[in-house]
Amino acid sequence: GRKTHCTVFDFMAGLPSGHALIPRWVMDDLFIDERDVVRIRGVKLPLCTFVKIQPHSLDFYDAVRKAGGDVQPLLLASIKRFSALTVETSVPIEILGETYDVSIVDLQPSGAVRIIDADVTREFEFPVEFVAAPDLEDEAIINARRDEMIARFKAKQAEQEAQLRSLEDRRVEVKARHFEVMRDRALAAAGKDDGKEGEVEVVLRLPGRQIKGKFREGAPVAALVALVMQSDWASSCKPW
């Protein structure tokens, strides 16, 4: 799966165990949604010495021209807002108050680096380069660049869709296994009280239908759960 790097901003009181709050742009880049399962681990990263980015659109180059002069300080200031960077991920950067998505195509000294220096009293800098702008006076080059960006966008979209399909398939599989375990536990707890015989008749209303069962007096509540878990409704929606 995809991976990225960042620092821990805060440990929030009241946040349930096993949960983390992640910025939306990070979730989009990882192709994950709310409540998806992720793996988080601590690593030690080297300090960044070089960054090369590739803009997602030609608007980036327009912004660079409008900024005039040396754009390096603008890019550096924007990149240094992040705590860490990872090759082959995308980040939003700001130029003259506008946000542009760019891909991280190269980092030094490794494919993942930290931006924050452990010595907060020391100011450090690193060069930030970007893929050169095409010759916007040549229509053929413009069209080639546009086609390249469209192809890259479609490729990333296809990758995202594949990731989402894979996650959905895994979610359905996990949900089905969990349902089967819960159903088997309910059947085991119900024992001989299978809802087919008894002096007490029970009617349970489910979404869009109802089911009936007959139980002996004193049958465990698990017998009702087992009756529901064996219904067509439970088999179709697999309640968690």
Side-chain angles (χ1 to χ4, degrees):
R2 290 178 63 82
K3 65 180 179 181
T4 191
H5 298 80
C6 62
T7 190
V8 176
F9 180 74
D10 193 10
F11 293 93
M12 298 179 60
L15 190 66
S17 176
H19 288 67
L21 299 180
I22 303 176
R24 169 51 63 182
W25 66 267
V26 175
M27 296 174 63
D28 291 341
D29 188 63
L30 293 176
F31 306 142
I32 59 175
D33 207 344
E34 291 184 12
R35 302 187 182 278
D36 282 347
V37 177
V38 297
R39 185 176 68 166
I40 299 176
R41 62 190 181 95
V43 295
K44 187 176 181 180
L45 299 177
L47 194 63
C48 178
T49 59
F50 172 81
V51 178
K52 187 173 184 179
I53 60 177
Q54 183 174 47
H56 286 192
S57 74
L58 295 176
D59 293 339
F60 172 88
Y61 299 111
D62 292 335
V64 168
R65 284 198 298 271
K66 291 177 182 177
D70 185 10
V71 75
Q72 168 72 18
L74 295 176
L75 296 178
L76 180 62
S78 189
I79 288 292
K80 290 180 72 172
R81 295 185 299 115
F82 302 101
S83 57
L85 295 174
T86 310
V87 167
E88 296 184 355
T89 61
S90 296
V91 298
I93 67 172
E94 289 187 5
I95 299 178
L96 301 179
E98 296 292 333
T99 301
Y100 303 90
D101 289 334
V102 300
S103 297
I104 306 299
V105 296
D106 189 23
L107 292 170
Q108 292 180 10
S110 69
V113 297
R114 60 185 171 91
I115 305 299
I116 299 177
D117 192 349
D119 184 358
V120 296
T121 64
R122 181 179 64 189
E123 182 70 18
F124 80 102
E125 294 187 356
F126 49 87
V128 181
E129 295 183 2
F130 57 89
V131 176
D135 183 357
L136 298 182
E137 300 301 323
D138 189 317
E139 185 175 354
I141 294 179
I142 294 175
N143 292 336
R145 179 65 172 171
R146 180 195 60 205
D147 293 343
E148 176 190 350
M149 289 185 170
I150 291 175
R152 189 166 66 244
F153 171 78
K154 288 183 177 179
K156 184 170 183 178
Q157 191 176 45
E159 180 185 2
Q160 182 176 10
E161 291 174 352
Q163 289 270 1
L164 292 176
R165 284 196 299 270
S166 177
L167 290 173
E168 179 61 18
D169 291 344
R170 281 171 22 210
R171 186 189 70 82
V172 170
E173 181 182 351
V174 169
K175 187 176 181 181
R177 288 204 306 266
H178 183 272
F179 168 74
E180 291 169 1
V181 169
M182 297 300 293
R183 181 188 59 196
D184 293 345
R185 287 178 181 174
L187 290 172
K192 296 181 179 180
D193 296 299
D194 56 7
K196 297 179 180 179
E197 296 181 0
E199 59 276 14
V200 180
E201 184 176 60
V202 176
V203 178
L204 298 176
R205 179 173 295 177
L206 303 176
R209 71 200 72 184
Q210 64 181 22
I211 57 176
K212 296 180 180 180
K214 293 182 178 180
F215 302 91
R216 64 179 175 84
E217 187 174 350
V221 174
L224 296 178
V225 178
L227 180 65
V228 172
M229 297 293 272
Q230 295 181 88
S231 67
D232 293 339
W233 169 80
S235 296
S236 63
C237 70
K238 295 178 175 52
W240 189 263

